[in-house]
């Protein structure tokens, strides 16, 4: 597991962090998700007591929820309106960054009619972010942490959305970036990773080789001063997804949805959305009532869905992911067990769909709501449909489905089916014959 | 000229419109831009007196500007916050539509430093719209007009951005769409035009053939009930670009920029931004002070730039556009003469750049600000740079540059240059040798 192999370096990093008074807003410490041990803020990610993952601990604002709601409403039209609830300095919106978030919560009435949902169906459309995926959110937080810790290079390993988000964020901020990808990726992903002018290093090997290499690099003097969004900045990076929970509730008029369907790659996003919802309840920003969380995976890489469905909760790694939803193709998801716990605790479920269902669902969403989702969005809607049919999702309750990315990045998935309905000569007779008038 | 060949049908349409009390907000009539003759609201687009183009005439809100500013600020986080200044019903935000607009105005400090701009440089980044181009704005207005006039099909001819915008908007609204494209377009454009599930008709011919066919169709009973965004809905459609002017000024704190650089295809966008700025002055929402407008074209299709530079103002059609900026490749721009007038009247200028400069400018914007522009954005930034060097743009003044679309839609333009900086074996020695640490 990547987190553990680089634990040695984490010690060094914590040492480096020393007692520097980092200004990361309401974040006051890092805390182990397993044993609760606290450590000071810094570029650490593994608990030195139990090797559990560290996460950010806060002193959240107390006081009148109505006052906090007003403060948020008066904030910027981006995720920074929730700065008081995130590990970022109060003046984060003044600094050069991509200002992601506050994407549309689409009231999907036409989709609801097709699916038989009567309780209100919404699509949270994160393709509206600056680089057109939800990754801009965690990367924006990682960038603030990198600035606070004095890192000069922002880095990651990626096969897609994260590469573009890191490249763009670093460019805006004037940091160096160095992104590692497996050699031989699709042209569109290479261009998105390279266009922002940072270093783009293709590794002659698989994505696993890339990850192993990054773990080596972070433990080596060569990696000194480097912030890896998904390694030594991970506790901060991960918090970015909380903003999705905040936005959904604010956009619903400070109400919790009854049901949320969330795609699962590492599982981090789902875990943090749950964390964000619980924070809102604790702060009194929303009513304390039950909600259900559903996890969506692709059949060709469904370790979490299988663990949920076989009732054991044991997440067994998938060695050879095989799905068109490449952004979800993490065979050994770090947060997999937490996802199973959350789905179980909240009364939700986990399920998966095959490639054909993914493509059908992309077309369904585009046709009914004018939202062109990437394959991960097709997974989430496909699983939503499946769970409505099975009765696991209650169609009479308010349901929010996440679209985490943009169809323009996964064109190949639909290119064979998204074709002209007719090819005609340029005259009215030909048009009449085609029967389209 | 397309506008005149279909004038006969315009009469029919005006007849059909009758005296129906269309609720299109502050819009009270159509008015000829040439002779000022007024006609009632309806799907008309050509003046029956002089064959000049019709545009929307308003009774704009009067009263305290501060009160209007507050009303706008309290409005939706989309272009509908300016509904009181647009030809749309007051409840437009409640109806199913893509809710475009309120895209980011990026304070481009790093780009400014590279270009030597000291007066403040901003990029208005319209790639943040739902289908990732500014076309969502005019299409959203055209959709409201189509609903008002009882049209059941939303249509257009297009080679790119407009096709996607029309398909998505119609899907969201539950209208039928029928989009006409020349056969043989790039796969990405075909997919974006087809994915929303409307009819997509490829015409065996050139883009000019497609346009001629659409003009025939609108004059034929086959086209009954069809709203063509850029033909019989054009007066409404065109107004969508005013929202860019409103947003830029509001985002600058209700200040006019000193200089704006705007790409020119038909020229409609530039003309409407100028109209929007003048409205804001008239309403007292911004100070009445001079501003300069600059028009940007690609060298391979630069009829407006040439007309400005040769001093005659006579826009001579380009028969064979040849540029990578395909979304600007309109050889005979309907609003070309108006653009030359506005550039001259405001003390701006018009210029053009070649394909290599377009590619360089796309890379410059991505590298400095993390914004990945389509080729049209490269044109606009390239011309900005050129005009700063020539002294036509004053670097000590506040300057706004428009990016009207998304680099993901014109990948081919940069695919040859946006490549990995190194390909290495997955080990530290190889990385050290690559000299990137």
């Amino acid at each position: 597991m990547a987190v553990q192999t680089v634990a040695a370096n984490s010690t060094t990093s914590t040492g480096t962090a020393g007692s520097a008074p980092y200004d990361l807003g309401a974040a006051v410490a890092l805390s182990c998700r397993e044993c609760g041990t606290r450590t000071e803020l810094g570029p650490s990610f593994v608990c030195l007591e139990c090797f559990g993952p560290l996460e950010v601990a806060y002193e959240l604002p107390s006081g009148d929820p109505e006052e906090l709601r007003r403060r948020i409403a008066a904030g910027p039209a981006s995720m920074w309106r929730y700065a008081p609830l995130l590990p970022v300095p109060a003046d984060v919106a003044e600094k050069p960054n991509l200002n992601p978030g506050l994407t549309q919560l689409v009231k999907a009435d036409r989709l609801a009619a097709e699916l038989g949902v009567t309780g209100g169906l919404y699509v949270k459309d994160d393709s509206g972010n600056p680089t057109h995926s939800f990754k801009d959110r965690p990367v924006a937080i990682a960038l603030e942490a990198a600035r606070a810790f004095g890192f000069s290079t922002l880095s990651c390993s990626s096969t897609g959305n994260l590469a573009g988000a890191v490249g763009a964020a670093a460019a805006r901020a004037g940091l160096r970036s160095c992104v590692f990808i497996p050699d031989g990726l699709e042209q569109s992903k290479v261009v998105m990773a390279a266009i922002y002018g940072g270093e783009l290093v293709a590794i002659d090997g698989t994505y696993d080789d890339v990850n192993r290499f990054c773990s080596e690099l972070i433990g080596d003097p060569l990696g000194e001063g480097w912030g890896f969004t998904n390694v030594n900045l991970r506790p901060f990076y991960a918090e970015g997804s909380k903003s999705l929970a905040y936005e959904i509730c604010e956009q619903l008029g400070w109400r919790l949805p009854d049901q949320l369907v969330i795609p699962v790659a590492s599982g981090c996003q789902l875990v943090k959305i749950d964390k964000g919802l619980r924070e809102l309840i604790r702060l009194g920003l929303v009513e304390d009532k039950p909600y259900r969380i559903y996890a969506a995976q692709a059949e060709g890489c469904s370790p979490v869905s299988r663990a949920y469905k076989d009732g054991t909760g044991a997440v067994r790694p998938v060695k050879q992911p095989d799905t068109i939803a490449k952004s979800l193709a993490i065979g050994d998801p770090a947060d997999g067990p937490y996802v199973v716990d959350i789905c179980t605790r909240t009364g939700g479920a986990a399920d998966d769909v095959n490639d054909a269902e993914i493509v059908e669902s992309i077309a369904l969403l585009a046709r009914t709501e004018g939202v062109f989702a990437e394959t991960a969005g097709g997974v989430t809607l496909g699983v939503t449909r499946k769970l409505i049919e099975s009765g696991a999702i209650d169609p009479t309750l308010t349901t929010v489905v996440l679209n985490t990315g943009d169809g323009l990045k996964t064109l190949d998935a639909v290119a064979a089916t998204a074709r002209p309905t007719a090819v005609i000569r340029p005259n009215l007779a030909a048009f009449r014959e085609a029967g389209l008038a």
Side-chain angles (χ1 to χ4, degrees), chain A:
Chain A
M1 195 174 134
V3 166
Q4 290 181 10
T5 56
V6 289
N9 183 66
S10 163
T11 319
T12 318
S13 300
T14 310
T16 308
S19 56
Y22 300 124
D23 173 13
L24 289 172
V28 293
L30 293 172
S31 154
C32 175
R33 216 191 300 175
E34 288 299 326
C35 72
T37 299
R38 284 201 168 201
T39 179
E40 61 193 2
L41 289 173
S44 317
F45 52 104
V46 177
C47 174
L48 297 183
E49 299 297 325
C50 76
F51 299 105
L54 295 178
E55 63 177 4
V56 175
Y58 298 90
E59 275 174 15
L60 291 179
S62 57
D64 182 18
E66 198 46 58
E67 173 53 33
L68 183 53
R69 281 192 208 107
R70 269 196 300 272
R71 186 173 155 197
I72 289 168
S78 71
M79 66 187 276
W80 303 136
R81 63 205 282 111
Y82 312 105
L85 312 180
L86 294 169
V88 293
D91 65 347
V92 59
E94 315 300 317
K95 303 184 180 191
N97 74 82
L98 296 183
N99 295 300
L102 211 63
T103 56
Q104 292 196 32
L105 183 71
V106 176
K107 185 147 199 309
D109 289 343
R110 281 167 40 76
L111 178 61
E114 293 235 5
L115 298 183
V117 174
T118 55
L121 181 64
Y122 297 83
V123 174
K124 178 63 175 171
D125 184 15
D126 247 17
S127 69
N129 276 313
T131 71
H132 306 324
S133 89
F134 86 98
K135 289 287 185 188
D136 288 325
R137 299 175 184 268
V139 169
I141 305 268
L143 171 64
E144 290 311 307
R147 280 200 255 243
F149 303 148
F151 289 144
S152 53
T153 300
L154 201 60
S155 185
C156 69
S157 55
S158 171
T159 65
N161 287 325
L162 182 56
V166 164
R172 176 74 59 85
L175 287 187
R176 182 170 179 265
S177 71
C178 188
V179 168
F180 296 94
I181 57 172
D183 195 24
L185 284 188
E186 306 94 308
Q187 193 189 57
S188 66
K189 290 186 181 166
V190 173
V191 170
M192 270 296 275
I195 192 69
Y196 302 105
E199 308 294 352
L200 174 66
V201 179
I203 298 281
D204 181 13
T206 65
Y207 181 65
D208 284 337
D209 293 327
V210 179
N211 266 335
R212 267 189 298 272
F213 169 75
C214 287
S215 297
E216 269 189 81
L217 182 54
I218 207 169
D220 190 90
L222 276 177
E224 191 75 41
W226 288 46
F228 283 80
T229 58
N230 41 1
V231 189
N232 59 347
L233 298 175
R234 189 172 184 83
F236 304 93
Y237 167 84
E239 296 291 289
S241 290
K242 287 200 311 176
S243 60
L244 276 159
Y246 304 152
E247 287 180 20
I248 289 167
C249 291
E250 184 185 4
Q251 290 170 321
L252 287 174
W254 292 113
R255 283 194 308 115
L256 284 169
D258 300 311
Q259 305 172 124
L260 297 100
V261 194
I262 304 170
V264 169
S266 74
C268 172
Q269 184 185 43
L270 184 146
V271 168
K272 292 301 177 178
I273 289 176
D274 176 60
K275 187 182 181 191
L277 295 176
R278 286 183 290 117
E279 284 174 356
L280 294 183
I281 292 172
R282 195 155 5 107
L283 290 164
L285 289 172
V286 297
E287 187 190 3
D288 186 0
K289 72 162 195 67
Y291 56 85
R292 298 180 194 149
I293 290 187
Y294 300 84
Q297 293 208 298
E299 189 178 288
C301 184
S302 49
V304 173
S305 165
R306 286 187 213 169
Y308 176 85
K309 290 195 284 189
D310 72 15
T312 65
V315 178
R316 280 183 299 274
V318 171
K319 295 277 183 224
Q320 299 284 347
D322 179 18
T323 166
I324 57 170
K326 295 199 174 77
S327 64
L328 301 184
I330 296 186
D332 189 7
D335 283 342
Y338 298 108
V339 169
V340 176
D341 285 352
I342 290 169
C343 292
T344 306
R345 168 172 57 77
T346 64
D351 214 326
D352 50 88
V353 286
N354 63 33
D355 286 357
E357 291 167 312
I358 294 169
V359 171
E360 271 173 41
S361 297
I362 291 173
L364 173 64
L365 183 59
R367 173 168 62 77
T368 53
E369 300 298 340
V371 172
F372 184 22
E374 69 159 58
T375 44
V379 167
T380 315
L381 181 56
V383 166
T384 303
R385 189 157 60 161
K386 197 169 171 181
L387 292 176
I388 290 170
E389 282 161 15
S390 78
I393 288 180
D394 183 341
T396 68
L397 298 179
T398 304
T399 304
V400 174
V401 177
L402 258 69
N403 174 38
T404 50
D406 203 292
L408 277 174
K409 295 196 195 178
T410 56
L411 279 178
D412 287 350
V414 294
T417 51
R419 306 282 316 143
T421 38
V423 182
I424 64 169
R425 296 281 308 154
N427 62 65
L428 291 172
F431 184 63
R432 202 174 287 113
E433 273 164 37
L436 300 171

